[in-house]
Coordinates of all heavy atoms in Angstrom, one line a residue:
M182 N 82.2 151.0 163.3 CA 81.4 151.7 162.4 C 79.9 151.3 162.5 O 79.7 150.1 162.7 CB 81.9 151.5 160.9 CG 81.4 152.5 160.0 SD 82.1 154.2 160.2 CE 83.8 154.0 160.0
A183 N 79.0 152.2 162.4 CA 77.6 151.9 162.5 C 76.8 152.6 161.4 O 77.3 153.7 160.9 CB 77.0 152.4 163.9
A184 N 75.7 152.1 161.0 CA 74.8 152.7 160.0 C 73.4 152.6 160.5 O 73.0 151.6 161.1 CB 75.0 151.9 158.7
V185 N 72.7 153.7 160.3 CA 71.3 153.8 160.7 C 70.5 154.2 159.5 O 70.8 155.1 158.8 CB 71.1 154.8 161.8 CG1 69.6 155.0 162.2 CG2 71.9 154.4 163.1
I186 N 69.3 153.5 159.2 CA 68.5 153.8 158.1 C 67.2 154.4 158.6 O 66.6 153.8 159.5 CB 68.2 152.6 157.2 CG1 69.5 152.0 156.7 CG2 67.3 153.0 156.0 CD1 69.4 150.7 155.9
S187 N 66.7 155.5 158.1 CA 65.5 156.2 158.5 C 64.7 156.7 157.4 O 65.2 156.9 156.3 CB 65.9 157.3 159.5 OG 66.7 158.3 158.9
D188 N 63.5 157.0 157.6 CA 62.6 157.7 156.7 C 61.7 158.7 157.4 O 62.1 159.0 158.6 CB 61.8 156.6 155.9 CG 60.8 155.8 156.8 OD1 60.6 156.1 158.0 OD2 60.3 154.8 156.3
N189 N 60.7 159.1 156.8 CA 59.8 160.2 157.5 C 59.2 159.7 158.7 O 58.7 160.5 159.5 CB 58.8 160.7 156.5 CG 59.3 161.4 155.4 OD1 60.4 162.0 155.5 ND2 58.7 161.5 154.2
Y190 N 59.1 158.4 158.9 CA 58.5 157.8 160.1 C 59.5 157.5 161.2 O 59.1 157.1 162.3 CB 57.7 156.6 159.7 CG 56.6 156.9 158.7 CD1 56.8 156.6 157.4 CD2 55.4 157.5 159.1 CE1 55.9 156.9 156.5 CE2 54.5 157.8 158.2 CZ 54.7 157.5 156.8 OH 53.7 157.8 155.9
G191 N 60.8 157.6 161.0 CA 61.8 157.3 162.0 C 62.8 156.3 161.6 O 62.8 155.8 160.4
I192 N 63.6 155.8 162.5 CA 64.6 154.8 162.3 C 63.9 153.5 162.2 O 63.1 153.1 163.0 CB 65.6 154.8 163.5 CG1 66.4 156.1 163.5 CG2 66.5 153.6 163.4 CD1 67.2 156.3 164.8
F193 N 64.3 152.7 161.1 CA 63.7 151.4 161.0 C 64.8 150.3 160.8 O 64.4 149.1 160.7 CB 62.7 151.3 159.9 CG 63.2 151.6 158.5 CD1 63.6 150.6 157.7 CD2 63.3 152.9 158.0 CE1 64.1 150.9 156.4 CE2 63.7 153.2 156.8 CZ 64.1 152.2 155.9
A194 N 66.0 150.6 160.7 CA 67.1 149.6 160.6 C 68.4 150.1 161.1 O 68.7 151.3 160.9 CB 67.2 149.0 159.2
W195 N 69.3 149.3 161.6 CA 70.6 149.7 162.0 C 71.5 148.5 161.8 O 71.1 147.4 161.8 CB 70.7 150.3 163.4 CG 70.1 149.3 164.4 CD1 70.7 148.4 165.1 CD2 68.7 149.2 164.8 NE1 69.9 147.7 165.9 CE2 68.6 148.2 165.7 CE3 67.6 149.9 164.4 CZ2 67.4 147.8 166.3 CZ3 66.4 149.5 165.0 CH2 66.3 148.5 165.9
G196 N 72.8 148.8 161.6 CA 73.8 147.7 161.5 C 75.2 148.2 161.9 O 75.4 149.4 162.2
W197 N 76.1 147.3 162.0 CA 77.5 147.6 162.5 C 78.4 146.7 161.8 O 78.1 145.6 161.3 CB 77.6 147.5 164.0 CG 77.1 146.2 164.5 CD1 77.8 145.0 164.7 CD2 75.8 145.8 164.8 NE1 77.0 144.0 165.1 CE2 75.7 144.4 165.2 CE3 74.5 146.5 164.9 CZ2 74.6 143.8 165.6 CZ3 73.4 145.8 165.3 CH2 73.4 144.5 165.6
N198 N 79.7 147.1 161.7 CA 80.7 146.2 161.2 C 80.9 145.0 162.0 O 80.9 145.1 163.3 CB 82.1 146.9 161.1 CG 82.2 148.0 160.0 OD1 81.2 148.2 159.3 ND2 83.3 148.7 160.0
H199 N 81.0 143.8 161.4 CA 81.3 142.6 162.2 C 81.9 141.5 161.3 O 81.9 141.7 160.0 CB 80.0 142.1 162.9 CG 78.9 141.7 162.0 ND1 78.7 140.5 161.5 CD2 77.9 142.5 161.5 CE1 77.7 140.4 160.8 NE2 77.1 141.6 160.7
A200 N 82.3 140.5 161.8 CA 83.0 139.4 161.1 C 82.1 138.7 160.1 O 82.6 138.2 159.1 CB 83.7 138.4 162.1
G201 N 80.9 138.5 160.4 CA 80.0 137.8 159.6 C 80.1 136.3 159.8 O 81.0 135.8 160.4
C202 N 79.2 135.5 159.2 CA 79.1 134.1 159.4 C 80.3 133.4 158.8 O 80.8 132.4 159.3 CB 77.9 133.5 158.8 SG 76.3 134.1 159.5
D203 N 80.8 133.9 157.7 CA 82.0 133.3 157.0 C 83.3 133.9 157.4 O 84.4 133.4 156.9 CB 81.8 133.4 155.5 CG 81.7 134.8 155.0 OD1 81.8 135.7 155.8 OD2 81.4 135.0 153.8
G204 N 83.3 134.9 158.3 CA 84.6 135.5 158.7 C 85.2 136.5 157.7 O 86.2 137.0 158.0
N205 N 84.5 136.8 156.6 CA 85.0 137.7 155.6 C 84.7 139.2 155.9 O 85.1 140.0 155.2 CB 84.5 137.3 154.2 CG 85.2 136.1 153.7 OD1 86.4 135.8 154.1 ND2 84.5 135.3 152.9
G206 N 83.8 139.4 156.9 CA 83.5 140.8 157.3 C 82.2 141.3 156.6 O 82.0 141.0 155.4
V207 N 81.4 142.0 157.3 CA 80.2 142.6 156.8 C 80.3 144.1 157.2 O 80.5 144.4 158.4 CB 78.9 142.0 157.5 CG1 77.7 142.7 157.0 CG2 78.9 140.5 157.1
H208 N 80.1 145.0 156.2 CA 80.1 146.4 156.5 C 78.8 146.8 157.2 O 77.8 146.2 157.0 CB 80.3 147.2 155.2 CG 81.6 147.0 154.6 ND1 82.1 147.8 153.6 CD2 82.6 146.0 154.7 CE1 83.3 147.4 153.2 NE2 83.6 146.3 153.9
A209 N 78.9 147.9 157.9 CA 77.7 148.4 158.7 C 76.5 148.7 157.7 O 75.4 148.4 158.0 CB 78.1 149.7 159.4
E210 N 76.8 149.3 156.6 CA 75.8 149.6 155.6 C 75.1 148.3 155.1 O 73.9 148.3 155.0 CB 76.4 150.3 154.4 CG 77.1 151.6 154.7 CD 78.5 151.5 155.0 OE1 79.0 150.4 155.5 OE2 79.3 152.5 154.7
E211 N 75.9 147.3 154.8 CA 75.3 146.0 154.3 C 74.4 145.4 155.4 O 73.4 144.9 155.1 CB 76.4 145.0 154.1 CG 77.3 145.3 152.9 CD 78.4 144.2 152.8 OE1 79.3 144.2 153.6 OE2 78.3 143.3 151.9
H212 N 74.9 145.4 156.6 CA 74.2 144.8 157.8 C 72.9 145.6 158.0 O 71.9 144.9 158.1 CB 75.1 144.9 159.0 CG 74.6 144.1 160.2 ND1 74.8 144.5 161.4 CD2 73.9 143.0 160.2 CE1 74.3 143.6 162.3 NE2 73.7 142.7 161.5
A213 N 72.9 146.9 157.9 CA 71.7 147.6 158.1 C 70.7 147.3 157.0 O 69.5 147.1 157.2 CB 71.9 149.1 158.2
L214 N 71.2 147.3 155.8 CA 70.3 147.0 154.6 C 69.7 145.6 154.7 O 68.5 145.4 154.4 CB 71.1 147.2 153.3 CG 71.4 148.6 152.9 CD1 72.4 148.6 151.8 CD2 70.1 149.4 152.5
S215 N 70.4 144.7 155.2 CA 69.9 143.3 155.3 C 68.9 143.2 156.4 O 68.1 142.2 156.3 CB 71.1 142.3 155.6 OG 71.6 142.4 156.9
R216 N 68.9 144.0 157.3 CA 67.9 144.0 158.4 C 66.7 144.8 158.2 O 65.7 144.8 159.0 CB 68.6 144.5 159.7 CG 69.8 143.7 160.1 CD 70.5 144.2 161.3 NE 69.7 143.8 162.5 CZ 69.7 144.4 163.6 NH1 70.4 145.5 163.8 NH2 68.9 144.0 164.6
A217 N 66.7 145.6 157.1 CA 65.6 146.6 156.9 C 64.4 146.0 156.2 O 64.5 145.0 155.4 CB 66.2 147.7 156.0
N218 N 63.3 146.6 156.4 CA 62.1 146.3 155.6 C 62.3 146.8 154.2 O 62.3 148.0 154.0 CB 60.8 146.9 156.3 CG 59.6 146.6 155.5 OD1 59.6 146.3 154.4 ND2 58.4 146.9 156.2
P219 N 62.4 146.0 153.2 CA 62.7 146.5 151.9 C 61.7 147.5 151.3 O 62.0 148.3 150.5 CB 62.7 145.2 151.0 CG 62.4 144.1 151.8 CD 62.2 144.5 153.2
R220 N 60.4 147.4 151.8 CA 59.4 148.3 151.3 C 59.6 149.8 151.8 O 59.1 150.7 151.2 CB 58.0 147.9 151.7 CG 57.6 146.6 151.0 CD 56.3 146.1 151.5 NE 56.5 145.6 152.9 CZ 55.8 144.7 153.4 NH1 54.8 144.1 152.8 NH2 56.0 144.4 154.7
R221 N 60.4 149.9 152.8 CA 60.7 151.3 153.3 C 62.0 151.9 152.8 O 62.3 153.0 153.1 CB 60.7 151.2 154.9 CG 59.4 151.0 155.5 CD 59.4 151.0 157.0 NE 59.6 152.3 157.5 CZ 59.7 152.6 158.9 NH1 59.5 151.6 159.7 NH2 59.9 153.8 159.3
L222 N 62.8 151.1 152.1 CA 64.1 151.6 151.7 C 64.1 152.6 150.6 O 64.9 153.6 150.7 CB 65.0 150.4 151.2 CG 65.5 149.5 152.3 CD1 66.2 148.3 151.7 CD2 66.5 150.2 153.2
H223 N 63.2 152.5 149.7 CA 63.1 153.5 148.6 C 62.9 154.9 149.1 O 61.9 155.1 149.8 CB 62.1 153.1 147.6 CG 62.1 154.0 146.4 ND1 63.0 154.0 145.4 CD2 61.3 155.1 146.0 CE1 62.8 154.9 144.5 NE2 61.7 155.6 144.9
G224 N 63.8 155.8 148.9 CA 63.7 157.2 149.4 C 64.2 157.5 150.8 O 64.1 158.6 151.3
A225 N 64.7 156.4 151.4 CA 65.2 156.6 152.8 C 66.6 157.2 152.9 O 67.2 157.5 151.9 CB 65.2 155.2 153.5
T226 N 67.0 157.5 154.1 CA 68.3 158.1 154.4 C 69.1 157.1 155.2 O 68.6 156.4 156.1 CB 68.1 159.3 155.3 OG1 67.4 160.3 154.5 CG2 69.5 159.9 155.7
I227 N 70.4 157.0 154.8 CA 71.4 156.1 155.6 C 72.4 157.1 156.2 O 73.0 157.9 155.5 CB 72.0 155.0 154.8 CG1 72.8 154.1 155.7 CG2 72.8 155.5 153.6 CD1 73.2 152.7 155.1
T228 N 72.6 156.9 157.5 CA 73.6 157.7 158.2 C 74.7 156.8 158.8 O 74.4 155.8 159.4 CB 72.9 158.5 159.4 OG1 71.8 159.2 158.9 CG2 73.9 159.4 160.1
I229 N 75.9 157.1 158.4 CA 77.1 156.3 158.8 C 78.0 157.1 159.7 O 78.4 158.2 159.4 CB 77.8 155.7 157.6 CG1 76.8 155.1 156.6 CG2 78.9 154.8 157.9 CD1 76.7 155.7 155.3
A230 N 78.5 156.5 160.8 CA 79.4 157.1 161.7 C 80.2 156.1 162.4 O 79.8 155.0 162.6 CB 78.7 158.0 162.7
G231 N 81.4 156.5 162.9 CA 82.2 155.7 163.7 C 83.0 156.5 164.7 O 83.3 157.7 164.4
I232 N 83.4 155.9 165.7 CA 84.2 156.5 166.8 C 85.4 155.7 167.1 O 85.3 154.4 167.2 CB 83.4 156.8 168.1 CG1 82.3 157.7 167.8 CG2 84.3 157.3 169.2 CD1 81.4 157.9 169.0
R233 N 86.6 156.3 167.2 CA 87.8 155.6 167.5 C 88.3 156.1 168.8 O 88.4 157.3 169.0 CB 88.8 155.7 166.4 CG 90.1 155.0 166.8 CD 91.0 154.8 165.6 NE 90.3 153.9 164.6 CZ 90.2 154.1 163.3 NH1 90.8 155.2 162.8 NH2 89.6 153.2 162.5
H234 N 88.6 155.2 169.7 CA 89.1 155.6 171.0 C 90.7 155.7 170.9 O 91.3 154.7 170.4 CB 88.7 154.6 172.1 CG 87.3 154.5 172.3 ND1 86.6 155.5 173.0 CD2 86.3 153.7 171.8 CE1 85.3 155.2 173.0 NE2 85.1 154.1 172.3
R235 N 91.2 156.8 171.3 CA 92.7 157.0 171.2 C 93.2 157.4 172.6 O 92.4 157.7 173.5 CB 93.0 158.1 170.3 CG 92.4 157.8 168.9 CD 92.7 159.0 167.9 NE 92.1 158.7 166.6 CZ 91.6 159.6 165.9 NH1 91.5 160.8 166.3 NH2 91.0 159.2 164.8
K236 N 94.5 157.3 172.8 CA 95.1 157.7 174.0 C 94.8 159.1 174.4 O 94.6 159.5 175.5 CB 96.6 157.5 173.9 CG 97.0 156.0 173.9 CD 98.5 155.9 173.8 CE 98.9 154.5 173.8 NZ 100.4 154.3 173.7
N237 N 94.7 160.0 173.4 CA 94.5 161.4 173.6 C 93.0 161.8 173.5 O 92.7 162.9 173.4 CB 95.3 162.3 172.7 CG 95.0 162.0 171.2 OD1 94.3 161.1 170.9 ND2 95.5 162.8 170.4
G238 N 92.1 160.8 173.6 CA 90.7 161.1 173.6 C 90.0 160.3 172.5 O 90.5 159.4 171.8
T239 N 88.7 160.6 172.4 CA 87.8 159.8 171.5 C 87.5 160.8 170.3 O 87.2 162.0 170.6 CB 86.6 159.4 172.2 OG1 86.9 158.5 173.3 CG2 85.6 158.6 171.3
G240 N 87.4 160.2 169.1 CA 87.0 161.1 168.0 C 86.3 160.3 166.9 O 86.4 159.1 166.8
F241 N 85.4 161.1 166.2 CA 84.8 160.5 165.0 C 85.8 160.2 163.9 O 86.8 160.9 163.8 CB 83.7 161.5 164.5 CG 82.5 161.6 165.4 CD1 82.3 162.7 166.2 CD2 81.6 160.6 165.4 CE1 81.2 162.8 167.0 CE2 80.4 160.7 166.2 CZ 80.3 161.8 167.0
V242 N 85.5 159.2 163.1 CA 86.4 158.8 162.0 C 85.6 158.9 160.7 O 84.4 158.9 160.6 CB 86.9 157.4 162.2 CG1 87.8 157.3 163.4 CG2 85.8 156.4 162.3
F243 N 86.4 159.1 159.6 CA 85.9 159.1 158.3 C 85.0 157.9 158.0 O 85.3 156.8 158.3 CB 87.1 159.1 157.3 CG 86.7 159.1 155.9 CD1 86.0 160.2 155.4 CD2 87.1 158.1 155.0 CE1 85.7 160.3 154.0 CE2 86.8 158.2 153.6 CZ 86.1 159.3 153.1
S244 N 83.8 158.2 157.5 CA 82.8 157.1 157.4 C 82.0 157.0 156.1 O 80.9 156.5 156.0 CB 81.8 157.2 158.6 OG 81.1 158.5 158.5
K245 N 82.6 157.6 155.0 CA 82.0 157.5 153.7 C 81.9 156.1 153.2 O 82.8 155.3 153.4 CB 82.7 158.4 152.7 CG 82.1 158.4 151.3 CD 82.9 159.3 150.4 CE 82.2 159.3 149.0 NZ 83.0 160.1 148.1
P246 N 80.7 155.7 152.7 CA 80.6 154.3 152.2 C 81.6 154.0 151.1 O 81.9 154.8 150.2 CB 79.2 154.2 151.7 CG 78.5 155.4 152.2 CD 79.5 156.4 152.5
C247 N 82.1 152.8 151.1 CA 83.0 152.4 150.0 C 82.3 152.3 148.7 O 81.1 152.0 148.7 CB 83.7 151.0 150.3 SG 82.5 149.7 150.5
E248 N 82.9 152.7 147.6 CA 82.3 152.8 146.3 C 81.9 151.4 145.7 O 80.9 151.2 145.1 CB 83.2 153.5 145.3 CG 83.3 155.0 145.6 CD 82.0 155.8 145.5 OE1 81.2 155.5 144.7 OE2 81.8 156.7 146.4
N249 N 82.8 150.4 145.9 CA 82.7 149.1 145.2 C 81.6 148.3 145.8 O 81.0 147.4 145.2 CB 84.0 148.4 145.2 CG 85.0 149.0 144.3 OD1 84.6 149.7 143.3 ND2 86.3 148.9 144.6
R250 N 81.4 148.4 147.1 CA 80.5 147.5 147.8 C 79.2 148.2 148.3 O 78.1 147.9 147.9 CB 81.3 146.8 148.9 CG 80.7 145.6 149.5 CD 81.8 145.0 150.3 NE 81.3 144.0 151.2 CZ 82.1 143.2 152.0 NH1 83.4 143.4 152.0 NH2 81.6 142.3 152.7
C251 N 79.4 149.1 149.3 CA 78.3 149.7 150.0 C 77.5 150.7 149.2 O 76.3 150.7 149.2 CB 78.8 150.3 151.3 SG 79.5 149.0 152.4
A252 N 78.3 151.6 148.5 CA 77.6 152.6 147.7 C 76.7 152.0 146.6 O 75.6 152.5 146.4 CB 78.6 153.6 147.1
R253 N 77.2 150.9 146.0 CA 76.4 150.2 145.0 C 75.1 149.7 145.6 O 74.0 149.8 145.0 CB 77.2 149.1 144.4 CG 78.2 149.6 143.4 CD 78.9 148.4 142.7 NE 79.9 148.9 141.9 CZ 80.7 148.1 141.2 NH1 80.5 146.8 141.2 NH2 81.7 148.6 140.4
L254 N 75.2 149.1 146.8 CA 74.0 148.5 147.5 C 73.0 149.6 147.8 O 71.8 149.4 147.6 CB 74.4 147.8 148.7 CG 74.9 146.4 148.5 CD1 75.4 145.8 149.9 CD2 73.9 145.5 148.0
I255 N 73.5 150.7 148.3 CA 72.7 151.8 148.7 C 71.9 152.3 147.5 O 70.7 152.6 147.6 CB 73.5 153.0 149.3 CG1 74.0 152.5 150.7 CG2 72.7 154.3 149.5 CD1 75.1 153.4 151.3
K256 N 72.5 152.5 146.4 CA 71.9 152.9 145.1 C 70.9 151.9 144.6 O 69.8 152.2 144.2 CB 72.9 153.2 144.1 CG 73.7 154.5 144.4 CD 74.8 154.7 143.3 CE 75.7 155.8 143.8 NZ 76.9 156.0 142.9
K257 N 71.3 150.6 144.7 CA 70.4 149.5 144.2 C 69.1 149.5 145.0 O 68.1 149.2 144.4 CB 71.2 148.2 144.5 CG 70.4 146.9 144.1 CD 71.1 145.7 144.4 CE 70.2 144.5 144.3 NZ 70.9 143.2 144.7
F258 N 69.1 149.7 146.3 CA 67.9 149.7 147.1 C 67.1 151.0 147.0 O 66.0 151.1 147.6 CB 68.2 149.3 148.5 CG 68.5 147.8 148.6 CD1 69.8 147.4 148.9 CD2 67.5 146.9 148.5 CE1 70.0 146.0 149.0 CE2 67.7 145.5 148.7 CZ 69.0 145.1 148.9
G259 N 67.6 152.0 146.3 CA 66.8 153.2 146.1 C 66.9 154.2 147.2 O 66.0 155.1 147.3
L260 N 67.8 154.1 148.1 CA 67.9 155.2 149.2 C 68.3 156.5 148.5 O 68.9 156.5 147.4 CB 69.0 154.8 150.2 CG 68.5 153.8 151.2 CD1 68.5 152.4 150.7 CD2 69.4 153.9 152.5
K261 N 67.8 157.6 149.0 CA 68.0 158.9 148.4 C 69.0 159.8 149.0 O 69.4 160.8 148.5 CB 66.6 159.6 148.3 CG 65.7 158.9 147.4 CD 66.1 158.9 146.0 CE 65.2 158.1 145.1 NZ 65.8 157.8 143.8
K262 N 69.5 159.5 150.3 CA 70.4 160.4 151.0 C 71.4 159.6 151.8 O 71.0 158.6 152.5 CB 69.6 161.3 151.8 CG 70.4 162.4 152.5 CD 69.6 163.6 153.0 CE 68.7 163.2 154.1 NZ 68.1 164.4 154.8
I263 N 72.6 160.0 151.7 CA 73.7 159.4 152.5 C 74.3 160.5 153.4 O 74.7 161.5 152.9 CB 74.8 158.8 151.6 CG1 74.3 157.7 150.7 CG2 75.9 158.2 152.5 CD1 75.3 157.3 149.6
E264 N 74.4 160.2 154.7 CA 75.0 161.2 155.6 C 76.2 160.5 156.2 O 76.1 159.3 156.6 CB 74.1 161.6 156.7 CG 72.8 162.3 156.2 CD 71.8 162.5 157.3 OE1 71.7 161.7 158.2 OE2 71.1 163.5 157.2
F265 N 77.4 161.2 156.3 CA 78.6 160.6 156.8 C 79.5 161.6 157.3 O 79.3 162.8 157.1 CB 79.3 159.7 155.8 CG 79.8 160.4 154.5 CD1 81.1 160.9 154.5 CD2 78.9 160.7 153.5 CE1 81.5 161.6 153.4 CE2 79.4 161.3 152.4 CZ 80.7 161.8 152.3
I266 N 80.6 161.2 158.0 CA 81.6 162.1 158.5 C 82.8 162.1 157.6 O 83.3 161.1 157.2 CB 82.0 161.7 159.9 CG1 80.8 161.7 160.9 CG2 83.2 162.5 160.5 CD1 81.1 161.1 162.2
T267 N 83.3 163.3 157.2 CA 84.4 163.5 156.3 C 85.7 163.4 157.0 O 85.7 163.2 158.3 CB 84.4 164.9 155.7 OG1 84.6 165.9 156.7 CG2 83.0 165.2 155.0
K268 N 86.8 163.4 156.2 CA 88.1 163.3 156.8 C 88.4 164.5 157.7 O 89.3 164.4 158.6 CB 89.2 163.2 155.7 CG 89.1 161.8 155.0 CD 90.2 161.7 154.0 CE 90.1 160.4 153.3 NZ 91.0 160.2 152.2
T269 N 87.7 165.6 157.5 CA 87.9 166.8 158.4 C 87.0 166.8 159.6 O 86.8 167.8 160.2 CB 87.8 168.1 157.6 OG1 86.5 168.1 157.0 CG2 88.8 168.2 156.5
R270 N 86.3 165.7 159.8 CA 85.4 165.4 160.9 C 84.1 166.3 160.9 O 83.6 166.8 161.9 CB 86.1 165.6 162.2 CG 87.2 164.5 162.4 CD 87.8 164.6 163.8 NE 88.8 163.6 163.9 CZ 89.9 163.7 164.6 NH1 90.1 164.8 165.3 NH2 90.8 162.7 164.6
E271 N 83.7 166.6 159.6 CA 82.5 167.4 159.5 C 81.4 166.4 158.8 O 81.8 165.5 158.1 CB 82.7 168.6 158.5 CG 83.7 169.5 159.1 CD 84.1 170.6 158.1 OE1 84.2 170.3 156.9 OE2 84.2 171.8 158.5
W272 N 80.1 166.7 159.1 CA 79.1 165.9 158.5 C 78.9 166.4 157.1 O 78.9 167.6 156.8 CB 77.8 166.1 159.3 CG 77.8 165.3 160.5 CD1 78.1 165.7 161.8 CD2 77.5 163.9 160.6 NE1 78.0 164.7 162.7 CE2 77.6 163.5 162.0 CE3 77.1 162.9 159.7 CZ2 77.4 162.3 162.5 CZ3 76.9 161.6 160.2 CH2 77.0 161.3 161.5
K273 N 78.7 165.4 156.2 CA 78.4 165.7 154.8 C 77.2 164.9 154.3 O 77.0 163.8 154.8 CB 79.6 165.3 153.9 CG 79.3 165.7 152.4 CD 80.6 165.5 151.6 CE 80.2 165.9 150.1 NZ 81.4 165.9 149.3
T274 N 76.4 165.5 153.5 CA 75.2 164.8 152.9 C 75.3 164.7 151.4 O 75.6 165.7 150.8 CB 73.9 165.6 153.3 OG1 73.8 165.7 154.7 CG2 72.7 164.9 152.8
I275 N 75.0 163.5 150.9 CA 75.0 163.3 149.4 C 73.6 162.9 149.1 O 73.0 161.9 149.7 CB 76.0 162.2 149.0 CG1 77.4 162.6 149.3 CG2 75.8 161.9 147.5 CD1 78.4 161.5 149.0
F276 N 73.0 163.6 148.1 CA 71.7 163.3 147.6 C 71.8 162.4 146.3 O 72.6 162.8 145.4 CB 70.9 164.5 147.3 CG 70.5 165.3 148.6 CD1 71.4 166.3 149.1 CD2 69.4 165.0 149.3 CE1 71.1 167.0 150.2 CE2 69.1 165.7 150.5 CZ 70.0 166.7 150.9
L277 N 71.2 161.3 146.3 CA 71.3 160.4 145.1 C 70.2 160.7 144.1 O 69.1 161.1 144.4 CB 71.3 159.0 145.6 CG 72.4 158.6 146.6 CD1 72.2 157.2 147.1 CD2 73.7 158.7 146.0

């Protein structure tokens, strides 16, 4: 899973799922937010997407931010738009 944060001037942060320093895991949204210039976050857009490789081909996977962890962080930092892939593999946009 990957997350990209952008504003009117372009992409300014990105992140991906990884184990983290403590091995407990870091979500892509958290990683991107931690790497971003905090002054640019208010009003920005976060786009989340993932691809899974399968025997019968490659496909996008459901990528909505989790409510308990990532969605709270996104709201806390003042981002205004979340873009992600739905379970039906369509892009969806949520305005906060």
